[in-house]
Amino acid sequence: MTKMKKKFTRGEATTFISRKQALKRLQLSLNDFRRLCILKGVYPQEPVNRRRVNKGSSTPKVYYHLKDIQFLGHERVMQKLRDIKAHLKKAKRAKERGEMHTVDRLQRNFPAYTLDHIIRERYPAFEDAVRDLDDCLCLCFLFSRLPKERGVPVEQIRLSARLTVQFLHWVIAARALRKVFVSIKGYYFEADVNGVSVVWSVPHQLGLHDPADVDFKILRTFNEFYTTMLGFVNYRLYSSLGLAYPPALANEVDPSDYCQTGEAHEEFMASLNQPLLSRRGGEAEGNPAEPDDFPDEEAEGAEAASAARRKARAQQRLFNGCRFFLNRETPRQILCFVIRSCGGEVSWSPLSGPGSRYPESDQRVTHQIVDRPLGDSRLSGRAYVQPQWVFDCVNSGSLLPTGDYAPGLPPPPHLSPFAAYSADDADGGDEAAQLPYSATRSAPPDPVELRRPSAAAELEEEDDDEAEDAAKREAAAADAAQVGKQQKKQKKPSVVAEGTQRRTQDAKQAAAEERRLREMMLPKKHKQLYKKMVFSRKRQARESAQLAEKKQKRQRTA
Amino acid sequence: ALAMSDIKKQPIESPLTAPDEYDYDSSDDEDIRNTVGNVPMHWYTKYPHIGYDTEGRKLMKPDTGDQLDDFMAKMDDPEYWRTVIDPKTGQRIVLCDEDVQLVKNIVRGRVPDPNVDPYEDHTDWFTSDTMATPVTAHPPSKSSFVPSKWERLRVGRMVHAIKMGWMLTGEQRAEARRQREAAARGDNANRFYDIWDRQAGDEDEAIRRKLPYIRPPKKAPPTHYESYNPPEEYLFDDEELEKWRNQEDYERRVNFVPTKYAALRRVPAYPGYTSELYERCQDLHLAARVVRHRVSMDPEDLLPKLPAPRDLRPFPHLRVLQYLAWPEEAQDSQQPLPITACSVDPSGQWFAASGAGGRLAVFELTTGYRAWSAQLESASEGGLVSATWNPCADRPCIAAGGAGSGRVYLVATDRCDRLLASRFAEAWATTSGEQQQQQQSAAIWTILSTEASANGAAITKSRTLATVQLPTAQGGVKQLAWHRQGDYFLTVSDSGSLLVHRLTTRSSQSPLGGAGKKAATAAVCCAQFDPVKPVLYVAEKARIQVYDLAKLTKLKTLKPNARALSCLSVHPTGCHLLAGSLDSRLAWFDLDLACTPYKQLRIHTDGVRQCVVHPSLPLSASVSDDGSCLVLHSRVYADLLENPLLVPVKRLRGHQVGSVGGSGIVRVTACDFHPRLPWLVTGGSDGRIVFYSS
């Protein structure tokens, strides 16, 4: 007789190990383990059967794949983490003993590690890194705006700031900006990085809050990895455009005015208003990455794709020939970035900061961006607009009339280019999303007119009279009250005859009933999925109906 | 040396008067009485004292006189030129000749002490000449001529460390320092390079993570709600704001209150920005990732493709008539008692209905005219159930069972062809004599009217022909069903026993077990005869037994996947069976196919009371406690390979629509089809009868 097989010695029970076991196996503290997981991109796994993995117990635990833990065990950074721990211990001991020479020596030989090999390992191709760039940019932009007091090393903050500025410079040079959105949380941008759309957010500048519930240790570790990644990505992006890396300004700048000599380079870089030096030495402007055009594309969304390309091309030269002047109350870096990404020229008062190129009195200025009520002190020959005009122009891909955005007046609503806008129709197309609100506002759509009968209802209408009459007769008693209510509720268009409306209603009802009968025959296998889908659609429809109703109500009261 | 000279100047006393030599200790170290140490003496210029003695007392400065005294001394004192002031004590000291000579030698750059000869002859203690015999005889140690092993090992370790990059050379260290400083400034220029300059090779594969990388989901893109200047309708009104405030975090559709700012410059920093990013980071490294394929399909595609009901006409869908069966009953007791059964006669002109009030009535189908009505049982006994018209036109009679009394009433009706009625009456009269010859019956037959044959006028009147009393142990009648040929009918009693009765012999028997004996099977819920074959379908609680009546054997057991079967109906071909259950299911069996249902229909939300298959058209119907009657198109094909087509075509809610009074939902309790036309009659718990036509 063969030996009895013991339970939990093979299969899932051995494939996964809990976090505690992993710590023991790797001989790491929880902090170091987390750090390693963040750097290596290792995340917990969800076993198919938790009870089987946990040897019959259902205590909630975090599980890692055994192979992941083995993989972490081969990481050379892990040894460095241990070295650092030992090193800190030694340094502390020496310091307490007053052996300053030892402290000095230890400090000199502090174990340093790089994450280059991890970048290469996690992102074998450049495209992989670009696809994961969203979170990277968000965190780097946050770090670049942190005050230098929060227990975050200044080097990390400065490095983040430098790298994000470098990235913005690339976007400007490549004219890759596609969408901008000003939300109450911050600015959202979408750029086209080598065909991959990358979305990131930048917090508002003023008064970043210090949250008590945030563990900056974790954010720092993420940032450590992301700065390395962003550096390599920047290098690659710069080389693809033929720009010199590390970036240098094409023109000599005069640092004497408003900053120290050592900081001049950084300050002028951060102003985003100077062209970069190309690798050959000249000014690297005017070589935007043109979106490729494939005329004989046979893909399904070929038309939509070519429309997107057309729009992208329009965005790249949107502000060509426009000269902007920014008033001091506007967000300078953001506006400069957006305008220059679309081919415009920007300047501001030299008193606001470095990077100014021409004075306010310059005759060639076409637009002045103002964010406060303006008195009579207006110069002729230029349009005064609010900052939102710039963002709405970029999203629509065309220069909008400036009249709606005059300073001191409430501007038209600012819509998210990332979401479709249509209060009346839940399935609003992409085209509607890209229209600025002003276009929709100028001709407010009448919901009654625009509401198309559904395909099923149309079919029913074509049906023979007998069925209609029958349905009508049957439903008449039941729905007399309901119909009356609905009629009262709906503003009845005068052109629509009552009989037609009732017939349409009956047909609709018949269609709904037919649908209910079909639903009854739904196999059990699909019932849950079907219910979910219908639920979400109904909710969507309900929400958009609520929005439409609110809009109507406001229009009526206004 | 100065101190020495000072001592020499002390007056020499005679030994007798000489003080103890310890009073003025001449030892070099202890002679210095001032204990301030080697400090600049100008620190004391402001003070009257010049230091402290060994006891800690202040040493006062001696009186040095003023400038005049100094001048006088210069003029008078011949020793003035060799007098100096000791900075430690403030005393004037006259230098002796040797001291003067010493000072002079130093000033001239000579050897200070004249007694020292700097150029005296060198005595060569260890000569270079090799002696004939060594001074020491021990042999030299090996280490004295072999390079140090430990040094070699140590150097080796250092070389190794340098090679491995563990140890830095001075140059490397300087370079590292430069880089560190550059990093601190944030501009180590050559930190980054083209890391993706070559394609991923095998060595990359070897170090790569073995599990597939699941890319984290992108963050949800911002909506219009998030705009700093959203359209008006996106802002919360008071009600929505209140609702948002009272919701938990996970219930909210947006985690912020939409706000409108008049200008961009007024937008403050978002308080939760860092926290949100932190949450995202937490998710990235703490959340398990699972790939879920999102279904991007129209829910319409999931629905089964069925022919449209309008293509499957005719079927009953128009409510034509609705009336109370016994209006007088409704007047007596405000709540009309439910209809328990409907049954349409073979000609299709009339139908019989029985009620819980114990009445039996015959109505004209198309007009609702009540042709005949009789109170057969009292309501307190439980009324009548299962009034069923004999399906054979030659035997125009109705059978109805007493729910409480356990009595079956056979009622001859005059609503038929007179010829047929008289023939039946005659046949009944002639066969009544055979009652005595019958050996044994499971139930007691009581013949009420046999005289009809004599009186020609009476035979065409409706009257009760006979009653069949079931054994009292079996309780009341639950269900009653005729055989197609109209000679046999079966009864199912409350206790679940089944009896088959024969008209011509007026006898009853128990096919499943002997009369009086305990039934061989489990309690029967309902039963039906096969219309074609000598087969009996007996529904127990959760299964259906199929018996061959000719051979008296069990053919098979059907498993309808239901827990409380309530009704059965056999397709006119005898190949299909429809079974309804109180757990709101309907099962369609293809009897040639399998013992499990061909289709399970969960089309009702409450228990199914009765189901009927149309005798000639591809239709079936079921009525349920949920107050609706569902009409199914049920087409059966002659081709055995083709599956039956079952399509629900209409849900009839006639009983709910016009009903007045009563509480709660109106249950539909009975239904029957017209034998040839797509017409349907239903009875409900509100005592109403509804007639539907196509």
Side-chain angles (χ1 to χ4, degrees):
Chain A
M1 192 179 156
T2 52
K3 208 175 168 188
M4 202 169 75
K5 284 172 183 170
K6 281 194 173 174
K7 268 177 124 183
F8 309 123
T9 50
R10 61 179 66 71
E12 259 188 323
T14 49
T15 313
F16 298 98
I17 63 174
S18 70
R19 191 175 64 183
K20 200 172 170 185
Q21 285 172 314
L23 293 182
K24 206 170 172 190
R25 194 181 177 116
L26 295 177
Q27 304 256 313
L28 284 175
S29 68
L30 183 58
N31 271 339
D32 281 348
F33 177 71
R34 275 194 185 150
R35 200 165 171 189
L36 206 61
C37 283
I38 290 168
L39 295 178
K40 294 285 278 182
V42 167
Y43 43 84
Q45 303 280 330
E46 184 61 41
V48 178
N49 188 337
R50 285 185 153 261
R51 200 178 270 269
R52 211 182 296 144
V53 173
N54 204 4
K55 302 194 181 5
S57 158
S58 57
T59 327
K61 276 184 181 177
V62 178
Y63 294 102
Y64 286 86
H65 204 285
L66 181 66
K67 283 191 176 173
D68 272 343
I69 300 303
Q70 285 168 342
F71 169 68
L72 287 184
H74 293 118
E75 177 52 52
R76 63 181 111 137
V77 170
M78 188 170 77
Q79 189 53 45
K80 281 288 174 191
L81 292 182
R82 292 197 186 118
D83 287 350
I84 287 172
K85 201 173 154 193
H87 206 86
L88 289 174
K89 234 184 222 173
K90 281 182 206 160
K92 184 165 174 273
R93 182 181 145 99
K95 203 170 179 184
E96 279 167 358
R97 290 173 143 202
E99 295 166 356
M100 296 323 283
H101 282 296
T102 317
V103 173
D104 194 38
R105 180 176 54 79
L106 287 171
Q107 220 162 33
R108 252 196 340 263
N109 294 330
F110 197 83
Y113 59 89
T114 59
L115 302 173
D116 303 6
H117 63 287
I118 299 185
I119 302 279
R120 173 87 192 168
E121 171 196 302
R122 279 180 67 173
Y123 304 114
F126 175 56
E127 288 69 36
D128 299 325
V130 172
R131 250 176 244 132
D132 264 6
L133 207 56
D134 287 16
D135 291 312
C136 166
L137 283 172
C138 285
L139 199 68
C140 287
F141 271 101
L142 173 71
F143 264 68
S144 70
R145 274 147 174 81
L146 282 184
K148 290 166 187 164
E149 60 189 16
R150 208 186 291 262
V152 179
V154 183
E155 306 94 80
Q156 233 175 350
I157 292 174
R158 294 186 62 165
L159 185 61
S160 300
R162 280 170 52 84
L163 291 172
T164 49
V165 162
Q166 285 171 8
F167 181 76
L168 293 183
H169 266 294
W170 178 83
V171 174
I172 290 173
R175 305 261 174 103
L177 186 68
R178 294 290 171 268
K179 286 173 188 170
V180 199
F181 178 52
V182 189
S183 92
I184 54 175
K185 293 183 179 177
Y187 299 92
Y188 286 87
F189 298 99
E190 184 187 310
D192 178 22
V193 181
N194 288 6
V196 180
S197 68
V198 173
V199 180
W200 74 95
S201 65
V202 181
H204 287 293
Q205 192 80 45
L206 294 173
L208 208 58
H209 290 255
D210 187 2
D213 55 343
V214 170
D215 181 4
F216 265 88
K217 245 187 289 179
I218 285 175
L219 287 185
R220 268 170 54 188
T221 313
F222 267 103
N223 187 250
E224 188 184 348
F225 176 75
Y226 283 152
T227 44
T228 316
M229 176 179 161
L230 186 57
F232 286 118
V233 168
N234 278 348
Y235 187 95
R236 181 87 174 193
L237 291 175
Y238 272 63
S239 352
S240 69
L241 274 193
L243 296 172
Y245 194 92
L249 299 175
N251 307 324
E252 281 300 310
V253 291
D254 179 20
S256 60
D257 281 350
Y258 303 107
C259 54
Q260 291 174 359
T261 322
E263 293 169 348
H265 174 77
E266 216 166 302
E267 287 283 329
F268 277 87
M269 280 289 288
S271 78
L272 297 177
N273 207 8
Q274 299 284 336
L276 293 184
L277 192 72
S278 81
R279 245 192 246 157
R280 294 198 197 108
E283 189 177 298
E285 283 285 295
N287 51 351
E290 287 275 336
D292 298 332
D293 210 344
F294 304 109
D296 52 355
E297 201 169 330
E298 285 171 23
E300 214 169 77
E303 201 170 311
S306 73
R309 274 198 300 276
R310 244 176 289 129
K311 189 177 172 192
R313 225 170 286 141
Q315 280 173 328
Q316 286 180 343
R317 1 189 137 102
L318 182 63
F319 294 135
N320 273 3
C322 296
R323 281 165 87 85
F324 289 84
F325 188 85
L326 310 183
N327 263 22
R328 65 166 191 269
E329 70 274 7
T330 54
R332 203 174 60 236
Q333 198 189 29
I334 300 283
L335 281 172
C336 179
F337 165 62
V338 173
I339 291 167
R340 288 201 63 223
S341 302
C342 296
E345 282 182 78
V346 199
S347 180
W348 47 80
S349 158
L351 293 174
S352 311
S356 160
R357 303 185 75 174
Y358 43 85
E360 187 178 1
S361 56
D362 192 323
Q363 290 297 315
R364 292 168 299 166
V365 170
T366 56
H367 297 85
Q368 181 152 354
I369 296 179
V370 179
D371 198 14
R372 57 178 170 173
L374 207 59
D376 297 331
S377 60
R378 298 190 185 208
L379 295 170
S380 62
R382 66 181 66 178
Y384 285 82
V385 287
Q386 296 191 31
Q388 195 192 317
W389 180 80
V390 176
F391 305 132
D392 284 353
C393 283
V394 173
N395 292 337
S396 69
S398 59
L399 292 180
L400 299 173
T402 54
D404 287 341
Y405 297 89
L409 291 176
H414 180 56
L415 297 176
S416 168
F418 297 94
Y421 175 76
S422 51
D424 310 311
D425 189 8
D427 315 321
D430 230 12
E431 204 54 41
Q434 286 148 11
L435 279 177
Y437 190 82
S438 56
T440 55
R441 191 176 62 159
S442 56
D446 187 356
V448 181
E449 282 176 17
L450 276 185
R451 186 168 291 146
R452 281 169 291 145
S454 66
E458 274 172 356
L459 256 179
E460 274 300 309
E461 262 186 313
E462 289 161 17
D463 203 0
D464 53 343
D465 283 348
E466 188 199 332
E468 240 165 62
D469 290 353
K472 202 195 301 175
R473 247 176 292 154
E474 204 212 342
D479 300 316
Q482 207 183 344
V483 169
K485 260 186 233 164
Q486 281 183 353
Q487 279 175 346
K488 254 179 251 169
K489 230 190 278 177
Q490 267 189 349
K491 194 179 148 193
K492 193 169 65 185
S494 55
V495 285
V496 181
E498 195 176 339
T500 320
Q501 197 180 17
R502 167 148 337 149
R503 202 159 57 230
T504 324
Q505 282 228 338
D506 286 352
K508 251 187 206 169
Q509 238 171 12
E513 191 184 341
E514 194 180 309
R515 191 191 167 84
R516 274 199 294 277
L517 289 171
R518 280 174 76 198
E519 276 169 11
M520 286 190 317
M521 297 300 281
L522 200 60
K524 198 178 175 188
K525 196 164 64 175
H526 295 150
K527 208 162 241 178
Q528 197 56 33
L529 178 63
Y530 178 82
K531 271 186 190 166
K532 263 184 169 172
M533 286 199 290
V534 168
F535 172 77
S536 70
R537 290 199 170 208
K538 272 188 182 166
R539 186 165 69 177
Q540 216 174 355
R542 194 176 59 235
E543 280 174 359
S544 61
Q546 276 173 352
L547 282 177
E549 195 188 331
K550 266 169 87 179
K551 190 179 177 185
Q552 267 190 331
K553 211 164 98 186
R554 299 223 179 208
Q555 276 174 352
R556 247 179 280 132
T557 53
Chain B
L2 290 177
M4 288 290 281
S5 58
D6 195 22
I7 290 159
K8 280 172 194 157
K9 280 176 71 224
Q10 293 290 326
I12 295 166
E13 308 278 336
S14 71
L16 287 177
T17 59
D20 186 12
E21 63 173 337
Y22 292 106
D23 283 353
Y24 59 96
D25 199 352
S26 64
S27 143
D28 271 6
D29 291 337
E30 291 174 39
D31 186 47
I32 303 164
R33 300 291 167 88
N34 195 348
T35 57
V36 290
N38 188 18
V39 298
M41 290 316 291
H42 64 81
W43 289 357
Y44 290 93
T45 45
K46 288 184 194 163
Y47 300 102
H49 64 282
I50 198 160
Y52 305 91
D53 66 2
T54 50
E55 302 292 316
R57 290 182 299 257
K58 281 180 182 168
L59 287 178
M60 305 313 287
K61 281 180 190 161
D63 185 19
T64 49
D66 54 7
Q67 278 190 327
L68 191 63
D69 289 338
D70 192 40
F71 180 73
M72 294 296 290
K74 203 179 196 174
M75 292 295 113
D76 300 343
D77 191 357
E79 302 294 327
Y80 180 78
W81 64 274
R82 58 160 74 185
T83 308
V84 294
I85 296 174
D86 181 3
K88 278 271 158 71
T89 57
Q91 302 278 341
R92 286 172 187 277
I93 297 168
V94 180
L95 300 180
C96 59
D97 290 341
E98 292 92 74
D99 291 338
V100 172
Q101 193 54 48
L102 191 74
V103 170
K104 278 181 180 165
N105 284 348
I106 289 169
V107 167
R108 285 174 191 153
R110 292 178 183 165
V111 179
D113 190 353
N115 301 325
V116 172
D117 179 8
Y119 306 110
E120 68 180 328
D121 293 337
H122 173 67
T123 315
D124 201 0
W125 292 105
F126 301 102
T127 64
S128 57
D129 304 332
T130 310
M131 289 189 289
T133 52
V135 178
T136 56
H138 59 77
S141 68
K142 187 182 174 184
S143 62
S144 62
F145 55 85
V146 171
S148 164
K149 178 190 175 186
W150 309 114
E151 276 179 9
R152 179 174 58 78
L153 287 179
R154 191 152 188 194
V155 169
R157 274 204 300 274
M158 289 161 114
V159 168
H160 181 60
I162 289 171
K163 274 185 189 165
M164 297 299 283
W166 302 332
M167 196 175 121
L168 300 179
T169 59
E171 276 175 25
Q172 285 172 330
R173 218 175 284 142
E175 175 61 25
R177 196 191 316 117
R178 269 197 299 280
Q179 280 188 2
R180 246 197 330 271
E181 282 164 8
R185 284 201 309 277
D187 57 1
N188 38 354
N190 302 318
R191 165 79 183 78
F192 300 113
Y193 50 93
D194 193 356
I195 202 170
W196 291 288
D197 57 345
R198 61 190 165 83
Q199 287 301 308
D202 289 343
E203 73 275 24
D204 290 316
E205 282 306 321
I207 57 164
R208 188 144 309 137
R209 187 165 165 258
K210 292 293 176 290
L211 300 172
Y213 173 61
I214 302 174
R215 203 172 289 288
K218 299 252 176 198
K219 278 195 282 190
T223 57
H224 304 308
Y225 286 101
E226 218 178 289
S227 171
Y228 89 102
N229 179 18
E232 288 281 339
E233 66 265 24
Y234 283 88
L235 298 173
F236 285 167
D237 51 24
D238 294 342
E239 189 188 329
E240 281 171 320
L241 189 64
E242 187 60 31
K243 189 182 161 205
W244 187 88
R245 289 220 174 103
N246 293 332
Q247 274 175 331
E248 294 293 333
D249 277 346
Y250 65 89
E251 289 173 322
R252 290 174 180 162
R253 296 223 64 196
V254 289
N255 58 358
F256 52 89
V257 180
T259 323
K260 197 179 183 86
Y261 293 97
L264 185 57
R265 69 172 195 280
R266 293 194 191 277
V267 184
Y270 181 65
Y273 191 87
T274 316
S275 306
E276 267 183 26
L277 222 54
Y278 177 64
E279 281 296 310
R280 169 76 180 172
C281 287
Q282 293 277 71
D283 283 348
L284 285 180
H285 86 283
L286 289 181
R289 295 183 195 169
V290 180
V291 178
R292 289 229 167 82
H293 294 289
R294 193 172 284 271
V295 183
S296 63
M297 65 189 296
D298 192 2
E300 202 70 35
D301 299 344
L302 277 180
L303 290 177
K305 303 275 175 297
L306 297 175
R310 60 173 177 271
D311 300 336
L312 300 174
R313 280 174 187 145
F315 54 84
H317 66 279
L318 286 179
R319 189 162 46 112
V320 179
L321 281 174
Q322 182 183 28
Y323 48 91
L324 276 174
W326 294 282
E328 64 274 19
E329 194 178 71
Q331 282 165 3
D332 296 344
S333 59
Q334 285 179 342
Q335 186 64 39
L337 292 167
I339 308 285
T340 53
C342 297
S343 177
V344 183
D345 89 310
S347 70
Q349 191 182 355
W350 307 94
F351 79 94
S354 62
R359 291 170 205 258
L360 179 69
V362 174
F363 298 89
E364 194 172 20
L365 188 66
T366 50
T367 58
Y369 161 64
R370 194 171 75 189
W372 177 81
S373 175
Q375 177 90 34
L376 296 180
E377 289 246 318
S378 67
S380 56
E381 276 182 303
L384 281 179
V385 292
S386 215
T388 319
W389 210 294
N390 192 326
C392 177
D394 294 344
R395 297 187 173 93
C397 64
I398 304 165
S405 62
R407 209 177 293 134
V408 178
Y409 298 90
L410 277 171
V411 177
T413 172
D414 56 349
R415 294 294 148 184
C416 63
D417 194 336
R418 282 185 164 245
L419 188 64
L420 289 180
S422 60
R423 265 196 210 150
F424 175 58
E426 277 169 22
W428 177 257
T430 50
T431 49
S432 64
E434 295 165 19
Q435 193 194 1
Q436 281 75 25
Q437 294 157 14
Q438 164 200 350
Q439 305 97 13
Q440 205 168 10
S441 175
I444 304 155
W445 285 67
T446 314
I447 309 301
L448 295 177
S449 73
T450 50
E451 78 286 359
S453 55
N455 188 349
I459 50 168
T460 52
K461 285 255 173 72
S462 294
R463 75 257 182 245
T464 309
L465 289 177
T467 58
V468 183
Q469 177 66 52
L470 304 186
T472 40
Q474 293 186 2
V477 179
K478 195 156 73 176
Q479 191 232 351
L480 196 151
W482 283 97
H483 187 261
R484 186 71 167 273
Q485 286 165 351
D487 194 16
Y488 291 95
F489 69 93
L490 60 80
T491 54
V492 176
S493 65
D494 284 341
S495 65
S497 53
L498 182 136
L499 288 181
V500 173
H501 314 273
R502 191 173 181 192
L503 278 191
T504 45
T505 60
R506 287 154 204 191
S507 62
S508 310
Q509 53 176 316
S510 172
L512 304 181
K517 284 184 286 180
K518 194 169 179 287
T521 53
V524 177
C525 294
C526 55
Q528 286 288 351
F529 287 108
D530 190 293
V532 186
K533 295 164 280 182
V535 167
L536 182 67
Y537 301 96
V538 178
E540 291 162 11
K541 225 175 159 203
R543 53 187 182 168
I544 301 167
Q545 310 282 14
V546 185
Y547 294 100
D548 188 337
L549 287 174
K551 293 179 191 161
L552 291 177
T553 50
K554 187 159 87 176
L555 290 175
K556 55 184 159 187
T557 305
L558 307 177
K559 296 178 185 114
N561 196 17
R563 278 192 221 112
L565 287 169
S566 60
C567 52
L568 285 181
S569 181
V570 188
H571 194 269
T573 59
C575 297
H576 300 269
L577 180 74
L578 190 62
S581 73
L582 290 179
D583 44 3
S584 64
R585 286 166 196 221
L586 211 57
W588 181 281
F589 287 95
D590 188 340
L591 294 169
D592 299 332
L593 190 71
C595 290
T596 46
Y598 155 67
K599 202 138 230 172
Q600 275 279 358
L601 304 165
R602 290 180 195 79
I603 50 182
H604 287 290
T605 52
D606 209 340
V608 178
R609 285 288 158 186
Q610 198 177 0
C611 55
V612 199
V613 179
H614 197 286
S616 54
L617 292 173
L619 283 175
S620 39
S622 64
V623 294
S624 151
D625 286 351
D626 63 8
S628 70
C629 168
L630 205 112
V631 182
L632 288 163
H633 179 86
S634 51
R635 184 174 290 277
V636 173
Y637 298 95
D639 182 6
L640 289 177
L641 290 175
E642 196 144 6
N643 284 325
L645 175 72
L646 287 178
V647 183
V649 286
K650 187 74 187 169
R651 187 181 283 279
L652 302 167
R653 296 182 185 276
H655 283 276
Q656 286 171 334
V657 174
S659 64
V660 282
S663 60
I665 202 157
V666 177
R667 292 181 281 116
V668 189
T669 47
C671 69
D672 199 13
F673 275 116
H674 187 280
R676 286 175 305 279
L677 294 171
W679 291 356
L680 181 73
V681 59
T682 60
S685 64
D686 55 351
R688 277 162 200 273
I689 286 168
V690 183
F691 168 53
Y692 301 95
S693 84
S694 54

